[in-house]
Amino acid sequence: MIVTVVAQMVVYGLRPLLSYEALVLDASPAGLGLLTASFSVLSLAAAIPLGRAVDRWGERPFLVGGPAVMTAVSLSLLAPQWIMSLVVLSALLGLGHMGTSVGVQTLIARTEDGALRERRISIFTIVNSAGQMLAPAAAGLLAGDTASAHAATSFSGSRAFAVASVIAVVGLVSGAGLGRSPRSRGGREAGRAARPQGGFLAVMRVRSMPNALLASFTVLSSIDLLSAYLPAYGAARGLSVRTVGLLLAVQGAASLLARVGMLRLIRLLTRRRLLSLSMGLSAAGLAVLPLVGRLPGLCLLMVVIGFGLGLGQPITLGWVAGHAPDGLKGTAMSVRLSGNRLGQTLVPMAVGALAGSAGLAAAFVSPAVLLATAGFFVFRSRLRE
């Protein structure tokens, strides 16, 4: 859990600041889309090989290697940057986050007791939300109370990068201190012997997997677009860096609240209905956001959006973890994460191009349309509870 919260704090703290760095370098909306998409490029290519490696060697090497890469990225950001260096560092940040995520999620997915696994998923996603809530608020406070992107990336921005480096080191030390799981210590040979054949294809034949992937990557790409374009929206409306950071923190707090009550909501509505309803709720909030300029209204919208977006990842994670074949849990987690990264690569590039021609509002309306469409397909699907 320490490794998880560190990974979330580093990623969600650095990514808005990367957008401000790009704005200082006169990046266009299309350039911001490229920067956002670069986070997913390396991890998309490496996701399934990473999952197979976790199935073979256990989680511990990836809970050390992932934080190590994020530490290196945080330290590198202390040096002067240009657009392409930001793109490369964003891609490496995504790779480090992918390795950490596959390791942690596989560790949880291998829990044999279904009820215990659901509770661990709930705790895991609450910790995720805590990191997403704390990181932008801390980054905004460190960056300062100004609407200037340049001020956000001067001395105070460097201080934020230094703090991110220290936090990443904490994750590295925590990962190195983990013992081997019983599976990786004594059961690798038996696991390899019992592992189903087919890998990726075996996972994709799992019932409801395509629907889970569709919902998962749509929700995650919407979160990414909100993190990437809210700074640009705030700069256009005269909102300070600190205010934008606090708005993102409000979104994270609402997601945390949704995940705390997730198990009760599932029992009340079923997974399928809850997921489709939450996607529709966040779609409505994103569609209205470009029309709102005052801070109280923006805070209310961030609560609605955060609550809706907060449920997509844990619900789909529970589906995949519960239905994946034994011996292919790591592969299944990587398939889900690679679907997320595919969405995080293609959607921001398309939305960035659209925002460059149609205006900044398209960066919020486009994911709203995607969420509403995916939510409709989820509602119409035959997902096994």
Side-chain angles (χ1 to χ4, degrees):
M1 294 300 100
I2 294 174
V3 174
T4 296
V5 75
V6 163
Q8 295 302 100
M9 288 193 70
V10 171
V11 168
Y12 283 89
L14 288 184
R15 294 193 73 192
L17 290 178
L18 286 174
S19 292
Y20 280 115
E21 285 272 7
L23 289 172
V24 169
L25 298 170
D26 297 323
S28 64
L32 282 177
L34 175 63
L35 177 64
T36 305
S38 68
F39 178 78
S40 309
V41 173
L42 289 180
S43 53
L44 174 60
I48 293 177
L50 281 173
R52 299 301 296 270
V54 171
D55 283 331
R56 182 174 297 272
W57 302 112
E59 304 88 0
R60 186 172 179 267
F62 302 90
L63 298 180
V64 175
V69 173
M70 290 190 284
T71 301
V73 169
S74 301
L75 291 171
S76 298
L77 285 168
L78 292 169
Q81 303 295 325
W82 61 98
I83 290 290
M84 286 312 300
S85 70
L86 290 177
V87 169
V88 170
L89 290 174
S90 176
L92 290 173
L93 183 65
L95 182 62
H97 187 255
M98 171 61 78
T100 306
S101 298
V102 171
V104 171
Q105 292 184 22
T106 304
L107 191 65
I108 295 171
R110 284 176 174 164
T111 305
E112 293 183 1
D113 181 89
L116 178 59
R117 183 175 58 242
E118 289 286 353
R119 287 196 295 274
R120 286 180 172 173
I121 288 172
S122 179
I123 294 169
F124 165 72
T125 54
I126 289 170
V127 170
N128 265 327
S129 290
Q132 293 174 21
M133 175 182 66
L134 294 173
L141 290 172
L142 289 168
D145 190 14
T146 174
S148 167
H150 185 272
T153 54
S154 58
F155 171 74
S156 52
S158 297
R159 186 171 54 188
F161 296 142
V163 171
S165 302
V166 173
I167 293 173
V169 169
V170 172
L172 175 60
V173 172
S174 298
L178 282 171
R180 284 174 154 184
S181 68
R183 169 81 177 205
S184 63
R185 181 174 60 246
R188 283 204 300 263
E189 289 77 12
R192 283 197 292 270
R195 186 176 297 132
Q197 297 298 312
F200 172 78
L201 293 178
V203 170
M204 289 304 297
R205 284 194 292 268
V206 174
R207 184 180 180 183
S208 81
M209 179 66 74
N211 293 289
L213 294 178
L214 174 66
S216 185
F217 89 69
T218 304
V219 169
L220 198 58
S221 60
S222 299
I223 294 172
D224 276 3
L225 287 167
L226 185 62
S227 298
Y229 284 96
L230 194 64
Y233 177 81
R237 294 292 183 120
L239 301 177
S240 70
V241 178
R242 181 174 296 172
T243 299
V244 171
L246 291 176
L247 285 173
L248 290 172
V250 169
Q251 176 217 330
S255 294
L256 189 151
L257 179 64
R259 290 171 177 181
V260 167
M262 182 187 70
L263 295 180
R264 292 186 179 88
L265 291 172
I266 288 174
R267 286 194 291 269
L268 180 66
L269 297 172
T270 76
R271 293 177 188 274
R272 176 179 60 87
R273 291 172 182 168
L274 179 59
L275 180 56
S276 57
L277 179 63
S278 67
M279 294 174 76
L281 187 67
S282 52
L286 283 168
V288 173
L289 193 148
L291 305 177
V292 177
R294 295 187 178 276
L295 189 58
L298 287 172
C299 286
L300 179 61
L301 280 179
M302 296 305 281
V303 170
V304 172
I305 294 168
F307 193 92
L309 293 178
L311 292 170
Q313 295 304 304
I315 291 177
T316 56
L317 176 58
W319 267 324
V320 175
H323 298 163
D326 290 336
L328 287 177
K329 297 293 188 183
T331 303
M333 292 300 104
S334 66
V335 168
R336 174 180 171 274
L337 289 168
S338 63
N340 289 348
R341 293 297 189 261
L342 181 63
Q344 287 177 293
T345 302
L346 298 180
V347 173
M349 292 181 69
V351 171
L354 185 61
S357 57
L360 200 56
F364 305 105
V365 175
S366 298
V369 172
L370 290 175
L371 283 165
T373 304
F376 173 77
F377 283 115
V378 167
F379 183 76
R380 293 292 303 272
S381 64
R382 297 179 180 179
L383 297 174
R384 188 178 69 185
E385 292 297 327

